[in-house]
Amino acid sequence: MLLLEKEIPHKYLENLNHALPEKMVVVTSGFLEAGFEDYDMHLMVISSKELLNSDTKRRKPHTAFSEGQKVVFADLKQGDYVVHKTHGIGQFIGVNTIKADNIIKDYIKIKYRDDDVLYIPTNQLDNIRKYIGAGEKELKLNRLGSKEWNNTKSKVKNNLREVARNLIELYAKRQKAKGFAYGKDTPWQTQFEDSFPYVETDDQLRCIAEVKKDMEQDKPMDRLLCGDVGYGKTEVAIRAAFKACMDQKQVAYLVPTTVLANQQYETFKERMEAFAIKVELLNRFRTKKEQDQVIKKLKLGEVDVVIGTHRILSKDVEFKDLGLLIIDEEHRFGVKDKEKIKELKTNVDVLTMTATPIPRTLHMSIVGVRDMSVIYEPPQDRRPVQTYVLEYDEEVVKEAITKELERSGQVFYLFNHVEHIEQKARQIASLVPEAHVAFAHGKMTGRELEDIMMDFIEKKVDVLVCTTILESGIDIPNANTIIVENADRLGLAQLYQIRGRVGRSNIQSYAYITYKPDKLLSEVADKRLKAIKEFTEFGSGFKIAMRDLEIRGAGSLLR
């Protein structure tokens, strides 16, 4: 039917005993798991499974490393180091077009020691990975045809056995723990998910399915959900939370900032109130009396979902039956908080969400210690943030703010010094007199911070000078320019999160990442600023994390 509709010349043959007709599609019956190409015969064979079953193309690869391939290899540049699984470490030179036997094909050109060259057809790229190391300036290339690479692999295997033994001991307690196996989706679950006002991306649906599958097993879930800011991680989390509530389990949603806690509380409450699910907020914005009431209800099981900051981790907070712990940006919590998180993790399902996993977390996912789901697809009509990395210049700042105001937009100005932030706000107001300028920082009272944020949301404020409190969660589609002062003092993941506060709509957004004029940057700071400038396209959060892993190293997995 499809061939008829598209008016594609075709013919059905019951058997292939005769010569095939040229320049047309031939349909026949038989069994074939996968198709193939034969350039000499000018023949392409496609199985019905490949043609009709699109779900197989979207299925999650068996390992996190395979999944990472499509976001790593695509960024190869001339001079980058690569690893061939048979020949070892080489240097990517480029792509050459070669004609052989009257067939023109593209080949990847890789240089090895002694200027030996290896050409690899582009249909064999599965054998290659980009080299991820600790940022060496110049690597020693392997020699083609030698036993050097095999010896290296043997040493690594031996070391891995030791690491594996330690990891087994480390995770034994969690693996032996008997978790709660949730039931299959209820009709209410379907009704709840249908209430989502947007069309889910294929990646969202895949990640949701992976999380639910984990929850339905009797082993405690420990899954990392990685996706760019605004890519729909919250919807994955809210559906997991709803599933837990359907089996009378409690859910704790841990976020790093009070502002984000408020925003997520409103989202969960709005989505869940029609289903008789009780959602509460626990952070310093609440009075002591309100906090005590929430804590009491948690212990009695009268609260289904609690959303809050590290206040949730306090000793006085007890749950009647906690079943799911959701952690937003775990690396933002301190050492003591992480110890409490470890205690909670022992026998409950855990979903950790991040746009840029820290090197150790990413490394654990890559080697398979933790399960990982990645959302690659951007929302519809989203545009990449146009990023400039430059020395601080008042004229550039003035022009950036003025241009944003001319199109009725708003500006974030990141200045991470609480003591001088009021002075900086006055300076910006003097620089752009027509702008309404306000400032915000984490040492303000809950009421002060809430009032300022509401003024900004309601467009009563044009420029918000603030500290890194904006790093997570603030979603203001009308703010489409961000200026960062002293960006060299910030981490790579921090910069990426901060830049993600703009570009939340279909309007072109801009980021000005600045550092002091004539300042001699450290090697690490220079690499980070170059990385934030380089990775501006969609899905860069995972790439940023991989670059951070390369710059900083993985750290110790066993700590």
Side-chain angles (χ1 to χ4, degrees), residues 196 198-199 201 204 227-234 355 375-386 473-480 496-510 536-541:
F196 184 53
Y198 307 101
V199 177
T201 64
Q204 268 185 305
D228 266 22
V229 285
Y231 271 37
K233 298 188 296 293
T234 299
I375 302 177
Y376 295 107
E377 292 180 73
Q380 195 172 3
D381 299 327
R382 182 69 61 87
R383 296 185 181 186
V385 179
Q386 193 163 327
I474 302 173
D475 186 1
I476 301 176
N478 195 53
N480 286 296
Y496 189 73
Q497 289 278 15
I498 289 164
R499 185 177 64 183
R501 295 308 107 206
V502 297
R504 314 280 289 194
S505 66
N506 59 353
I507 298 171
Q508 180 61 61
S509 54
Y510 301 90
T536 58
E537 71 277 9
F538 295 129
S540 293

Side-chain angles (χ1 to χ4, degrees), residues 227-409:
D228 266 22
V229 285
Y231 271 37
K233 298 188 296 293
T234 299
E235 184 59 23
V236 179
I238 202 169
R239 294 188 185 188
F242 190 91
K243 187 176 181 69
C245 292
M246 288 299 95
D247 275 0
Q248 288 75 54
K249 289 287 185 178
Q250 290 175 299
V251 179
Y253 191 156
L254 188 60
V255 299
T257 66
T258 50
V259 174
L260 178 57
N262 265 28
Q263 190 175 51
Q264 297 296 58
Y265 167 68
E266 293 297 334
T267 300
F268 271 64
K269 187 179 178 183
E270 182 183 345
R271 290 287 303 281
M272 291 182 164
E273 62 183 354
F275 297 87
I277 292 176
K278 185 64 176 175
V279 182
E280 284 289 357
L281 176 67
L282 192 59
N283 63 12
R284 66 182 179 87
F285 278 6
R286 289 287 172 104
T287 64
K288 178 70 166 62
K289 183 179 178 181
E290 288 173 332
Q291 291 182 33
D292 290 342
Q293 287 177 344
V294 172
I295 292 169
K296 182 181 178 181
K297 289 178 180 179
L298 277 172
K299 192 171 182 178
L300 294 173
E302 296 174 6
V303 172
D304 301 303
V305 180
V306 61
I307 297 171
T309 56
H310 60 279
R311 179 69 179 90
I312 292 177
L313 303 174
S314 302
K315 290 182 179 179
D316 60 337
V317 177
E318 295 180 40
F319 296 86
K320 182 182 180 182
D321 191 6
L322 181 65
L324 175 63
L325 173 64
I326 302 170
I327 309 170
D328 205 338
E329 303 294 349
E330 185 177 8
H331 63 274
R332 299 284 309 283
F333 295 94
V335 175
K336 290 183 179 179
D337 292 335
K338 287 180 180 178
E339 289 303 315
K340 179 65 176 177
I341 290 171
K342 283 181 184 177
E343 291 177 24
L344 288 176
K345 276 185 174 184
T346 306
N347 57 0
V348 302
D349 285 356
V350 180
L351 178 63
T352 306
M353 304 190 300
T354 181
T356 50
I358 59 174
R360 184 171 63 179
T361 301
L362 179 62
H363 193 206
M364 292 174 78
S365 299
I366 287 174
V367 300
V369 174
R370 295 183 69 176
D371 296 317
M372 178 168 67
S373 297
V374 183
I375 302 177
Y376 295 107
E377 292 180 73
Q380 195 172 3
D381 299 327
R382 182 69 61 87
R383 296 185 181 186
V385 179
Q386 193 163 327
T387 304
Y388 304 95
V389 177
L390 67 164
E391 292 184 348
Y392 185 86
D393 186 329
E394 278 197 348
E395 286 303 312
V396 173
V397 170
K398 180 178 180 180
E399 184 180 357
I401 295 174
T402 303
K403 281 187 174 180
E404 189 58 56
L405 296 186
E406 285 174 352
R407 60 177 187 169
S408 301

Side-chain angles (χ1 to χ4, degrees), residues 8-258:
I8 298 173
H10 64 281
K11 186 175 183 179
Y12 178 76
L13 297 177
E14 288 190 10
N15 57 66
L16 302 178
N17 295 333
H18 305 288
L20 296 177
E22 294 183 357
K23 298 182 180 179
M24 71 164 54
V25 176
V26 175
V27 182
T28 188
S29 58
F31 176 80
L32 192 65
E33 184 70 20
F36 60 89
E37 280 184 83
D38 190 314
Y39 288 95
D40 293 333
M41 297 178 63
H42 304 289
L43 177 67
M44 177 184 287
V45 178
I46 304 173
S47 70
S48 59
K49 184 176 180 180
E50 292 171 309
L51 188 64
L52 301 176
N53 190 359
S54 59
D55 287 339
T56 57
K57 298 179 183 177
R58 295 174 185 162
R59 193 172 299 157
K60 178 181 179 255
H62 292 298
T63 66
F65 190 78
S66 297
E67 192 167 314
Q69 176 196 346
K70 68 178 181 182
V71 294
V72 176
F73 190 80
D75 295 315
L76 276 182
K77 295 183 293 294
Q78 187 172 353
D80 284 350
Y81 294 103
V82 295
V83 181
H84 190 284
K85 70 178 183 180
T86 303
H87 304 289
I89 299 173
Q91 196 168 22
F92 175 71
I93 303 300
V95 179
N96 286 27
T97 302
I98 299 174
K99 184 176 182 181
D101 297 329
N102 293 322
I103 297 173
I104 299 175
K105 289 179 70 174
D106 288 334
Y107 290 81
I108 299 295
K109 184 179 181 181
I110 301 175
K111 184 179 79 173
Y112 284 84
R113 200 187 308 170
D114 300 330
D115 291 327
D116 286 345
V117 172
L118 180 68
Y119 289 96
I120 301 171
T122 52
N123 61 356
Q124 295 181 17
L125 299 187
D126 287 346
N127 295 328
I128 305 170
R129 296 289 185 272
K130 185 176 180 180
Y131 176 84
I132 302 293
E136 287 91 342
K137 292 277 186 176
E138 189 172 345
L139 283 174
K140 181 181 178 182
L141 303 181
N142 288 123
R143 181 182 285 113
L144 283 178
S146 71
K147 295 181 178 179
E148 185 179 28
W149 179 241
N150 286 334
N151 293 337
T152 300
K153 288 193 290 185
S154 296
K155 289 179 183 177
V156 170
K157 285 178 182 177
N158 291 332
N159 290 335
L160 282 175
R161 289 190 184 98
E162 180 65 20
V163 173
R165 185 182 65 80
N166 292 329
L167 284 173
I168 288 169
E169 293 175 2
L170 180 70
Y171 273 71
K173 184 178 180 181
R174 180 170 176 81
Q175 291 294 328
K176 288 179 181 177
K178 192 73 173 177
F180 180 78
Y182 292 87
K184 297 294 182 182
D185 285 358
T186 63
W188 274 26
Q189 181 88 29
T190 304
Q191 187 179 344
F192 175 76
E193 294 181 0
D194 288 343
S195 70
F196 184 53
Y198 307 101
V199 177
E200 304 92 337
T201 64
D202 291 341
D203 279 351
Q204 268 185 305
L205 292 173
R206 172 177 50 77
C207 292
I208 290 165
E210 289 168 349
V211 171
K212 287 181 180 178
K213 184 179 178 181
D214 281 358
M215 293 178 70
E216 290 168 7
Q217 296 177 357
D218 61 2
K219 185 183 79 171
M221 172 176 70
D222 187 11
R223 182 166 289 275
L224 173 69
L225 176 62
C226 185
D228 266 22
V229 285
Y231 271 37
K233 298 188 296 293
T234 299
E235 184 59 23
V236 179
I238 202 169
R239 294 188 185 188
F242 190 91
K243 187 176 181 69
C245 292
M246 288 299 95
D247 275 0
Q248 288 75 54
K249 289 287 185 178
Q250 290 175 299
V251 179
Y253 191 156
L254 188 60
V255 299
T257 66
T258 50

Side-chain angles (χ1 to χ4, degrees), residues 258-259 262-263 266 285 410 412 436 438-440 444-464 469 474-478:
T258 50
V259 174
N262 265 28
Q263 190 175 51
E266 293 297 334
F285 278 6
Q410 294 166 282
F412 284 120
H436 294 92
F439 64 91
M444 288 179 162
T445 66
R447 176 58 62 188
E448 287 176 324
L449 198 53
E450 198 170 7
D451 288 345
I452 290 169
M453 292 311 302
M454 285 307 300
D455 285 345
F456 194 59
I457 291 169
E458 293 172 1
K459 304 180 185 178
K460 295 177 182 177
V461 171
D462 299 313
V463 181
L464 181 64
I469 60 166
I474 302 173
D475 186 1
I476 301 176
N478 195 53

